[in-house]
Each structure stands twice: as structure tokens, then as C-alpha cells.
Amino acid sequence: MNNNIKTAIVFIVGILLGVAGTGLYIHHCFARSWINSGNHNHAVDMLASKLNLTSDQKTKIEKVFDDNAPAVETVRLETNAKLQAVRDKTSAQIRLLLTSDQQQKFDALKTEWDKKRNTNDKGWHIPGLPPGAPPSGCPGTMCFSGPDSATPASK
């Protein structure tokens, strides 16, 4: 093989490895812990493996997650309401600084942003996770990131 073909192959392999590495890094960065995700099995399994839990401890820890889910949901709802109040205040202050033409464009942008924010359930806004309700029958609990993590419960 001549040197040009070898160089092209090395270059293409380098690009493919770079893209794959970047994809893995991005996935790792956006794989977040979910609170009230509807699936705590991954968290319990992780704790069991790291702490060598007995089956009795695992059962009790699952109950702790289930018992605390309503409190987590309450905090989430309160936080989202407070965040929305700050967003509304900020938008109102910005609108006052704009011309009428700019206000119309700003309103269109705000509508677009609100639509995007509302498509991701509960306002967690984690890129890469599909919007929508969790699998039916999932209680509100905590789950750590992983391939079997559920999406957040619907509003």
C-alpha cells in the first residue's frame, strides 16, 4: 500500500475514535442522578454491591426510597414553582428594555423556550433523556444514572 492510503486510513480511524470517545464523554457528563425518577432498583443494586447489603437491608432501603418519594415530589414542585416565578420576573424585566418589534421576537423566543422546557417532564432538562412518563406502575423514588434508569414521572 502506498503512503497516501495508509495516511488516509490512519486519519479516518483517528476521526472515528475521536467521535466515539466524545460520544462516551458526553453520555457520561449527562447521565445524572434522577430524583423521583420512578425507578430506584439501580440505586439499590449499586448500594448493595458497594456496601454488601443483605436481602433484608435491600428490602428496608427500598422502603426508605418509597417512603421519602412524596417529600421529594413536594420539594420538586415547590422548586419548579419558584423557578417559574423567577423566569417570569426576569422575562418581564427584559421585555421592558425592548422595542415593540424586539418584544414580539422575544415573545416568540420565550414561547419556543417554554415549549422545549415543557417537553422534558418535571423541568429537569437533562439532555439526551427522552421526554414522557415513566413506565406504568413506577413509584416516585430515586435512581442513579444507568442504562435502566427511568425517565422522570409526568407532571
Side-chain angles (χ1 to χ4, degrees):
M1 248 192 284
N2 73 29
N3 285 338
N4 289 338
I5 293 174
K6 288 179 184 177
T7 303
I9 290 172
V10 169
F11 184 72
I12 290 170
V13 169
I15 288 174
L16 292 174
L17 288 173
V19 168
T22 302
L24 287 172
Y25 176 76
I26 289 171
H27 173 75
H28 174 74
C29 288
F30 290 115
R32 301 274 195 244
S33 298
W34 279 99
I35 295 175
N36 198 31
S37 69
N39 181 357
H40 63 265
N41 295 333
H42 187 73
V44 174
D45 290 343
M46 186 272 306
L47 291 173
S49 70
K50 301 271 186 194
L51 305 175
N52 298 318
L53 299 177
T54 66
S55 61
D56 183 51
Q57 288 174 313
K58 281 179 69 172
T59 302
K60 289 177 180 176
I61 289 172
E62 287 172 347
K63 184 170 177 2
V64 169
F65 280 119
D66 289 338
D67 291 347
N68 285 289
V72 171
E73 179 69 6
T74 299
V75 170
R76 186 200 58 77
L77 290 171
E78 290 171 357
T79 302
N80 282 353
K82 289 177 182 179
L83 285 171
Q84 187 59 49
V86 171
R87 281 187 209 106
D88 292 343
K89 179 182 175 185
T90 302
S91 293
Q93 290 173 336
I94 290 171
R95 273 187 109 256
L96 293 174
L97 302 173
L98 304 175
T99 66
S100 62
D101 184 46
Q102 290 171 326
Q103 286 176 351
Q104 289 178 346
K105 291 177 184 178
F106 178 76
D107 291 344
L109 283 172
K110 187 175 177 316
T111 300
E112 182 181 327
W113 295 334
D114 290 344
K115 182 179 176 185
K116 285 181 183 178
R117 184 177 58 252
N118 291 331
T119 59
N120 196 355
D121 292 323
K122 293 192 174 186
W124 293 109
H125 321 301
I126 304 298
L129 292 176
S136 61
C138 290
T141 56
M142 180 176 172
C143 159
F144 294 96
S145 62
D148 58 344
S149 298
T151 58
S154 59
K155 293 181 184 177

